[in-house]
Amino acid sequence: MKKKTVIVIGAGIGGITAAIHLARAGMKVTVLEKNARPGGRCNRFSRDGHQFDTGPSLFVMPLLYEAEFGALGASMHEQLDLLRVDPTYHLVFDDGSRLKLTSDMHSMREQVESIQPGSFRGLQAYLREGERHYHLGLDRLVNRNFRGFFDFFHPRNADLLFRLKPLVNHYRNMSAYFDAPRLKLAFTFQDVYMGLSPFEAPATYSMMPYSELAHGVYYPKGGMYRITESLVQLARGAGVEFLFDSPVERIEITSANARGVCLADGSRRDADTVLANADLPYVYRHLLPQDGLAASLSRKRFSCSVISFFWGVDRTVEALPPHTLFLADDYRGNFDSIIRDLSLPVNPSVYVHAPARLDPSMAPRGQDTLIAVVPVGHLNEHGKQDWDALRDEARRHVFRRLQTIGIGDLKPRIKFEASCTPPAWAKRFNLMKGSTHGLSHTLTQMGYLRPANRHPRYKNLFFVGASTHPGTGMPTAMVSGRLVAERIISEAG
């Protein structure tokens, strides 16, 4: 019997994961990737012995990763050499004071009580709420395919309105646990993982800081790109074919189905099923016939973007721990500048990653590899943004922030710099508006209300990735890949 054929557009984490599941189910799967290597935003480049991960730098929600590797018939611990990171972050506030987030509750008690006496009890209560949100959220929202309206809006889900607090603002919800603004900052900044402001994110996302403190934060030896390499190895072992430098120009459509794809070189490939792992709004805008759905998607809320700097440094910067986050006291003003004004805040928050603190192979001996990330607004389609000027300003803010912790001589020690601004993110990964996390995760763009993983008209055209259900993030991308594969397999049978 002839094998069902599947074309996957894009070799991101979700696309590769889906390809493995489909190949293991007996389908013939080909992955077409526009770039020279797999991974999508979870990518890597090297220069002069320095290794840079271009995307995520934190291995969070390890239990979810473990479950998803298990669903692929693999052991996460055999695939990845994971290093525990604790303290997870070193938070630095505007006046130079610090807070180290750690799973050591004795240390957390001392630190939070020094900021607000009596607040450790609030932290314990907040983590209990986060635990509830974590288990309910994964079980009832993340790990489910919502194929119809009543799969989501069902009486059995009514209790989620109270137990998950989706209608409650995350930052406002912190007032039930803390009075000190800096403690509210310390346990809501993780919303940026979803490209969201804590002032508009639902309180549901307390699951993130809970998981970090309860389950731990890790770092794969060899960098985050090891996850991509591991998945590609599993995919090839399952018989998946990869074709790189193969950009898709359009999806070939008949009246009711996708019949294959046309590549930029003019060649065509037919398939029984097409699965798009490219950014969903990009797919609707550029790869499909225009029918109003692309315009509808473009009106949805998009996540923020970032300006990233990648520096090779000629000496080790010992004063920098693995993950340092400089948080601005004007927290709301920061997010207003990013989300509302689509710009760079006057005093932006800054994240600096020093991977060689965890894995010395990420930099030459006696030298350092540094990555600095500054959240900014996404591309403004109706106005001009001078990204060269904004990049230069962001760089100055990074150096200024580093000076507050005694690192004032970094600039002359930088051997080379690479950077990535929202236009670069848009060009390299076909991200609409340069939004690094795809569509935002607001209340009206969660669960069933998030774009579905199958086209409403073309029944053999499916989607996987950040802008589809369940959403952005690397472990969530693996969930997305499994869910869409399950749907394709069930509907093919």
Side-chain angles (χ1 to χ4, degrees), residues 15-24 27 29 31 38 72 79 228-242:
I16 301 172
T17 300
I20 299 169
H21 285 291
L22 295 170
R24 282 166 52 87
M27 298 185 182
V29 184
V31 179
L72 295 171
Q79 294 293 320
T228 299
E229 293 173 330
S230 173
L231 290 174
V232 169
Q233 182 180 19
L234 292 173
R236 285 183 165 139
V240 175
E241 176 188 21
F242 288 88

Side-chain angles (χ1 to χ4, degrees), residues 90-162:
H90 288 70
L91 306 184
V92 183
F93 301 104
D94 280 345
D95 62 0
S97 61
R98 305 190 191 197
L99 174 63
K100 293 186 291 186
L101 297 188
T102 171
S103 296
D104 180 347
M105 286 296 109
H106 294 292
S107 174
M108 287 303 299
R109 178 195 292 270
E110 292 178 1
Q111 293 185 85
V112 300
E113 293 280 344
S114 71
I115 296 173
Q116 178 190 326
S119 61
F120 184 67
R121 184 174 297 177
L123 174 60
Q124 290 177 307
Y126 178 66
L127 293 178
R128 285 195 295 271
E129 178 181 274
E131 180 179 20
R132 183 178 75 244
H133 290 175
Y134 176 87
H135 292 291
L136 273 174
L138 289 187
D139 182 49
R140 307 272 288 275
L141 293 178
V142 174
N143 276 314
R144 294 190 56 197
N145 262 317
F146 296 106
R147 302 191 186 190
F149 179 87
F150 291 106
D151 285 346
F152 187 69
F153 294 99
H154 190 279
R156 66 172 173 266
N157 288 333
D159 65 324
L160 297 183
L161 286 174
F162 307 99

Side-chain angles (χ1 to χ4, degrees), residues 111-379:
Q111 293 185 85
V112 300
E113 293 280 344
S114 71
I115 296 173
Q116 178 190 326
S119 61
F120 184 67
R121 184 174 297 177
L123 174 60
Q124 290 177 307
Y126 178 66
L127 293 178
R128 285 195 295 271
E129 178 181 274
E131 180 179 20
R132 183 178 75 244
H133 290 175
Y134 176 87
H135 292 291
L136 273 174
L138 289 187
D139 182 49
R140 307 272 288 275
L141 293 178
V142 174
N143 276 314
R144 294 190 56 197
N145 262 317
F146 296 106
R147 302 191 186 190
F149 179 87
F150 291 106
D151 285 346
F152 187 69
F153 294 99
H154 190 279
R156 66 172 173 266
N157 288 333
D159 65 324
L160 297 183
L161 286 174
F162 307 99
R163 300 179 69 193
L164 278 179
K165 295 188 173 181
L167 303 178
V168 180
N169 173 283
H170 193 186
Y171 189 83
R172 191 179 306 120
N173 185 57
M174 299 305 290
S175 296
Y177 305 104
F178 306 112
D179 295 325
R182 288 183 175 178
L183 292 181
K184 296 177 183 180
L185 267 64
F187 298 104
T188 58
F189 73 83
Q190 295 88 347
D191 294 344
V192 177
Y193 296 164
M194 274 74 71
L196 272 179
S197 160
F199 298 96
E200 62 179 352
T204 310
Y205 292 134
S206 62
M207 68 171 67
M208 296 299 298
Y210 158 75
S211 178
E212 290 178 354
L213 294 181
H215 306 149
V217 172
Y218 294 82
Y219 184 78
K221 193 172 182 180
M224 292 293 287
Y225 195 66
R226 277 291 304 131
I227 301 168
T228 299
E229 293 173 330
S230 173
L231 290 174
V232 169
Q233 182 180 19
L234 292 173
R236 285 183 165 139
V240 175
E241 176 188 21
F242 288 88
L243 297 176
F244 299 106
D245 297 310
S246 301
V248 171
E249 189 170 87
R250 68 179 180 275
I251 298 171
E252 295 283 296
I253 296 295
T254 62
S255 59
N257 288 290
R259 53 188 289 188
V261 299
C262 181
L263 279 71
D265 63 7
S267 63
R268 282 187 50 190
R269 284 182 168 261
D270 294 333
D272 297 310
T273 297
V274 175
L275 172 59
N277 185 207
D279 185 43
L280 184 71
Y282 176 88
V283 173
Y284 274 92
R285 175 73 65 86
H286 296 285
L287 302 186
L288 288 172
Q290 296 305 293
D291 57 4
L293 291 174
S296 175
L297 273 177
S298 70
R299 290 192 294 270
K300 289 185 178 293
R301 289 286 305 278
F302 283 72
S303 67
C304 65
S305 189
V306 298
I307 296 174
S308 296
F309 299 99
F310 307 93
W311 292 324
V313 184
D314 67 5
R315 64 169 175 80
T316 302
V317 188
E318 295 288 357
L320 273 177
H323 304 288
T324 306
L325 185 60
F326 298 88
L327 288 173
D329 285 343
D330 185 11
Y331 201 43
R332 184 184 291 275
N334 250 254
F335 282 103
D336 284 347
S337 295
I338 293 168
I339 304 298
R340 183 192 64 200
D341 302 334
L342 301 180
S343 189
L344 175 71
V346 173
N347 178 32
S349 295
V350 172
Y351 165 65
V352 180
H353 176 41
R357 292 302 86 73
L358 300 167
D359 182 357
S361 71
M362 301 301 283
R365 183 183 296 273
Q367 300 184 34
D368 223 338
T369 295
L370 300 181
I371 301 169
V373 180
V374 184
V376 294
H378 60 63
L379 295 175

